[in-house]
Amino acid sequence: LNLTINPSTTSASTVTECDTYTWNGTAYTASGVYTFVSANANGCDSTATLNLTINPSTTSTANVTECDTYTWNGTTHTSSGAYTYSTTNSNGCDSTATLNLTINPSTTSTSSATVCDSYLWNGTTYTSNGVYTYSTLNSNGCDSTAILNLTINPSTTSASTVTECDTYTWNG
């Protein structure tokens, strides 16, 4: 008897991947222990074991409404739009954040008025020349600044003493 014993073979590997891993023609998307049986070079069983850890990529979405500007991940945005930021999450996998941004503007208005004696503006009575500002919020909840360039002209009075006989005509 000339006997040759050929051994079966085994192998094990440990892999950590993001999202999916293809091994021996099969794509795996979940962590687990997987085996693959085939014939080795001697025609005996060969069992390979895969200890697989699948870490997920991450995505997030934020809806933000701001006045004038918004700083997100180090970038200052001044207009509405959809913005994305790509980085790596704590597992070393892709992380994509999406920002749906609405920028509402602040408003400024300027008006001029020339009046006699006093002027009532936004609940305050003014009696002298000047440039006045009034701050409030506009319909979007952002700053609204109104500027008033005001000129006050004083009324005048005069007194006259007249002595006349019989009649006197004054101002018509």
Side-chain angles (χ1 to χ4, degrees), residues 6 66 111 157:
N6 290 320
E66 281 293 324
S111 60
T157 59

Side-chain angles (χ1 to χ4, degrees), residues 9-84:
T9 55
T10 61
S11 65
S13 58
T14 300
V15 175
T16 300
E17 281 293 321
C18 297
D19 301 321
T20 186
Y21 182 69
T22 300
W23 184 60
N24 293 313
T26 303
Y28 296 92
T29 59
S31 297
V33 177
Y34 301 97
T35 57
F36 180 76
V37 178
S38 63
N40 64 18
N42 296 322
C44 298
D45 287 342
S46 174
T47 303
T49 301
L50 173 65
N51 296 303
L52 180 62
T53 302
I54 295 290
N55 290 321
S57 295
T58 54
T59 60
S60 64
T61 300
N63 298 313
V64 175
T65 300
E66 281 293 324
C67 297
D68 301 320
T69 64
Y70 184 69
T71 301
W72 183 62
N73 291 312
T75 301
T76 300
H77 299 280
T78 58
S79 59
S80 298
Y83 301 95
T84 58

Side-chain angles (χ1 to χ4, degrees), residues 95-132:
S95 175
T96 303
T98 300
L99 171 66
N100 296 314
L101 179 62
T102 301
I103 294 290
N104 290 322
S106 295
T107 52
T108 302
S109 63
T110 302
S111 60
S112 297
T114 301
V115 297
C116 296
D117 300 325
S118 66
Y119 187 69
L120 178 63
W121 185 60
N122 291 313
T124 302
T125 300
Y126 297 93
T127 58
S128 60
N129 296 334
V131 177
Y132 301 97

